[in-house]
Amino acid sequence: MTARAWYSPGRVRGQITELSGWRLALLLLVTGAVSSLAMAPLYAWPLLIPGLGILLWTVDGARGTSCPLRAAFWRGLLFGFGYFLAGMFWLAYAFITRGPDFIFLIPFAVPALAALLAAFWGGAMVSYAALAQRSEWRVLVFAVSIAVFEWLRGHVFGGLPWNMPAYAWPAGGPMSQTASVFGVYGLSFLTVLMLVTPALVVGSAITVRRVMPVLAGMFIFLSLFTFGVLRLGMPDPGIEPGVRLRIVQAGLTQEEKWGEGGVELARDRYLALTAAPGLDEVTHILWPEGALPTYMLEDDGQTLSLIGEMFSHDQVLIAGITRRAVEDEGELYYNALAVLRYQGGTPRLVGLYDKVLLAPFGESIPLSGLLSAIGLSEFTRLQFTPGPGPVVMEIPGAPSMMPLICYEGIFPDFVRSGAPRPAWMFNLSNDAWFGDTSGPRQHVNQARYRSIETGVPMIRAAARGVSGVIDAVGRMPVVIDPQAEGAFDVDLPRPIAATLYSLWGDLPFWIVCLVTLAGIVFQRRKVFASYFKLRP
């Protein structure tokens, strides 16, 4: 056999379809891990073409086994495990940052989270194996199954819609603009459909029947790109008059902030940067999530007083804080945002928001009751309490604003639930937990999609993350590097008209899914009738 024949596409495809055992498991794990490079910061989306193709072929092979649904689940799970473990490895850095007592949790917590997220891909492959017809148009079922289970991943058990297929497209680029119509779940469906269709013609005779889905995928790609270019060419709505924002980036690591003398270090650094030249021309000062390692509102009157000495009349500080409150349940802790207006040097609290969606392990401990029961209560004592719900705040001297603390900015439904429609969003975060990894880059890309979906600009202040200005179509005219330190004065962009997604939400996405399901049921009505022992 010649080398050319051994490497022929048809032979390779056949070998992949027939793989089993550890070779199949290794292939899926590696393929999933390589596919994760499609996410930020590389955006190597072409890698999804072979990645999704191999997943399709292996699950097609599962349909010929004695237990096709079980085989399909495990193949989807293995691919997803490699994908999420490689794409979210940076979570381990947070355990290292938290201290040596937590490092032993890394081999348990990070793979466990990857496995939990991968289970949704396993479920998607079960759906595909059960529903798909044996024709080239089965790729439609493949794409719908993944998109539906991605929606479930974003909602079940609180949800974690991280690194969905849609995020392979850099926010603010032409392909990302489709999220303004269909949202990221709809864009994920279109992304999978476009990128999996080439797998139909690899190693197969070229026929009109096989080529049609590929041509349809190319047409979708060109349509999305053209729509994005046209949308990005819309007139700029301009900036909000009379509003000048100062984003303060202190550049402190978690070790510096929480180490010996960290309180004084953080306070002095933030105060010095806040007081940088040009402060008199600024109307609002923005500090990131948990800027100071103190309970600023309750115990840190010295900081509030020092801020008052430098602020002129009516300047506003919008800061991420940690606060505690004594309530009926006892002493509770909140990750919060405070809006302080200084009049004559005296601070007045004019707005307060408590974070609603708490990050697992960082702010809430999954299965904390079980950990306490087995003697590990030490690891559950520093949990936060969730706030009552999303809000749109009236800010003195600025249009209405929706606060999004940390990863609240990755949830499309949460952002849409703010009413009335805000004029801007403020996403404050503490990405210092994750070091100089891909995590902060993935975070900002996903947050930018919320502006695309809603047509509402966003200001981002992220400690050792990507800060800056995000306009109403997801572009970043001002980008502040994670390692940068200083005070950055920026203008506030205006919003554009409400997008179709902001009005309809995921309704168009679900219509496509239901139409696809109806078509499958109609085409395979005799098969489904036999499942339920009904007359066809």
Side-chain angles (χ1 to χ4, degrees), residues 1 6 8-20 27:
M1 182 181 297
W6 194 91
S8 66
R11 182 174 180 82
V12 172
R13 176 178 176 175
Q15 289 178 332
I16 289 174
T17 303
E18 296 171 3
L19 276 178
S20 62
L27 172 67

Side-chain angles (χ1 to χ4, degrees), residues 348-373:
R348 185 165 65 91
L349 183 66
V350 295
L352 186 64
Y353 168 72
D354 294 321
K355 185 179 180 183
V356 179
L357 304 178
L358 302 178
F361 299 108
E363 296 167 327
S364 64
I365 307 299
L367 304 177
S368 57
L370 175 61
L371 291 176
S372 298

Side-chain angles (χ1 to χ4, degrees), residues 91-117:
L91 286 170
Y93 201 96
F95 291 90
I96 298 172
T97 304
R98 195 163 185 176
D101 292 340
F102 292 85
I103 293 177
F104 85 95
L105 291 172
I106 293 176
F108 305 99
V110 178
L113 181 61
L116 177 62
L117 299 179

Side-chain angles (χ1 to χ4, degrees), residues 59 68-70 72-74 121-131 145 149:
V59 179
L69 299 187
R70 183 173 65 184
F73 174 80
W74 283 108
W121 280 69
M125 293 304 98
V126 170
S127 171
Y128 167 69
L131 297 177
S145 296
F149 274 83

Side-chain angles (χ1 to χ4, degrees), residues 202-439:
V202 173
S204 301
I206 303 299
T207 64
V208 173
R209 188 180 64 183
R210 291 195 179 100
V211 169
M212 285 301 294
V214 181
L215 294 177
M218 295 173 61
F219 175 77
I220 293 172
F221 183 94
L222 292 173
S223 298
L224 268 55
F225 184 83
T226 302
F227 171 77
V229 170
L230 294 174
R231 189 167 190 264
L232 291 172
M234 294 188 306
D236 191 321
I239 62 173
E240 200 66 46
V243 178
R244 186 71 170 165
L245 309 174
R246 169 163 288 187
I247 302 172
V248 179
Q249 192 96 328
L252 296 172
T253 65
Q254 287 296 97
E255 291 85 354
E256 290 174 323
K257 191 166 72 172
W258 291 97
E260 185 177 353
V263 173
E264 294 77 14
L265 174 64
R267 180 177 62 223
D268 294 345
R269 186 80 58 85
Y270 273 99
L271 290 176
L273 293 172
T274 298
L279 180 60
D280 291 343
E281 301 174 6
V282 171
T283 58
H284 300 76
I285 294 85
L286 309 180
W287 287 5
E289 175 190 18
L292 304 183
T294 63
Y295 301 106
M296 193 167 74
L297 292 183
E298 294 85 12
D299 303 333
D300 200 359
Q302 181 182 6
T303 298
L304 295 177
S305 177
L306 291 172
I307 295 172
E309 294 176 5
M310 70 176 70
F311 277 18
S312 61
H313 186 66
D314 280 351
Q315 283 184 311
V316 175
L317 172 67
I318 307 176
I321 64 167
T322 302
R323 75 178 190 93
R324 63 184 176 193
V326 178
E327 301 178 12
D328 294 339
E329 299 86 350
E331 195 171 68
L332 303 180
Y333 299 87
Y334 296 90
N335 187 355
L337 172 142
V339 182
L340 297 166
R341 185 181 189 183
Y342 279 81
Q343 296 176 304
T346 302
R348 185 165 65 91
L349 183 66
V350 295
L352 186 64
Y353 168 72
D354 294 321
K355 185 179 180 183
V356 179
L357 304 178
L358 302 178
F361 299 108
E363 296 167 327
S364 64
I365 307 299
L367 304 177
S368 57
L370 175 61
L371 291 176
S372 298
I374 61 176
L376 297 177
S377 58
E378 174 68 17
F379 301 104
T380 68
R381 61 184 178 86
L382 295 177
Q383 295 192 77
F384 287 100
T385 299
V391 299
V392 174
M393 307 177 74
E394 295 299 326
I395 305 297
S400 60
M401 176 269 287
M402 183 177 190
L404 299 169
I405 300 180
C406 193
Y407 91 145
E408 287 180 332
I410 72 170
F411 292 88
D413 292 340
F414 185 83
V415 173
R416 284 187 66 248
S417 61
R421 184 178 186 240
W424 61 295
M425 296 177 282
F426 179 33
N427 182 209
L428 58 163
S429 183
N430 181 12
D431 289 348
W433 283 106
F434 310 111
D436 189 20
T437 65
S438 58

Side-chain angles (χ1 to χ4, degrees), residues 28-272:
L28 288 168
L29 287 170
V30 172
T31 301
V34 172
S35 296
S36 71
L37 298 177
M39 300 296 116
L42 295 181
Y43 300 108
W45 62 265
L47 291 176
L48 284 177
I49 297 175
L52 292 172
I54 289 173
L55 180 60
L56 176 77
W57 295 342
T58 56
V59 179
D60 284 343
R63 296 168 75 183
T65 63
S66 58
C67 299
L69 299 187
R70 183 173 65 184
F73 174 80
W74 283 108
R75 295 173 194 212
L77 180 76
L78 288 167
F79 178 92
F81 185 75
Y83 177 79
F84 289 112
L85 189 64
M88 301 178 69
F89 74 92
W90 45 266
L91 286 170
Y93 201 96
F95 291 90
I96 298 172
T97 304
R98 195 163 185 176
D101 292 340
F102 292 85
I103 293 177
F104 85 95
L105 291 172
I106 293 176
F108 305 99
V110 178
L113 181 61
L116 177 62
L117 299 179
F120 289 93
W121 280 69
M125 293 304 98
V126 170
S127 171
Y128 167 69
L131 297 177
Q133 66 275 51
R134 296 186 181 275
S135 76
E136 284 68 23
W137 291 104
R138 69 188 185 278
V139 294
L140 195 61
V141 184
F142 183 83
V144 166
S145 296
I146 290 178
V148 168
F149 274 83
E150 287 293 83
W151 186 94
L152 292 172
R153 182 164 69 88
H155 292 79
V156 176
F157 306 126
L160 186 58
W162 198 275
N163 282 0
M164 290 188 292
Y167 293 134
W169 312 113
M175 297 299 290
S176 69
Q177 300 305 307
T178 301
S180 66
V181 179
F182 297 108
V184 288
Y185 297 113
L187 181 54
S188 290
F189 160 70
L190 294 171
T191 299
V192 173
L193 181 61
M194 288 185 292
L195 300 184
V196 77
T197 54
L200 297 173
V201 296
V202 173
S204 301
I206 303 299
T207 64
V208 173
R209 188 180 64 183
R210 291 195 179 100
V211 169
M212 285 301 294
V214 181
L215 294 177
M218 295 173 61
F219 175 77
I220 293 172
F221 183 94
L222 292 173
S223 298
L224 268 55
F225 184 83
T226 302
F227 171 77
V229 170
L230 294 174
R231 189 167 190 264
L232 291 172
M234 294 188 306
D236 191 321
I239 62 173
E240 200 66 46
V243 178
R244 186 71 170 165
L245 309 174
R246 169 163 288 187
I247 302 172
V248 179
Q249 192 96 328
L252 296 172
T253 65
Q254 287 296 97
E255 291 85 354
E256 290 174 323
K257 191 166 72 172
W258 291 97
E260 185 177 353
V263 173
E264 294 77 14
L265 174 64
R267 180 177 62 223
D268 294 345
R269 186 80 58 85
Y270 273 99
L271 290 176

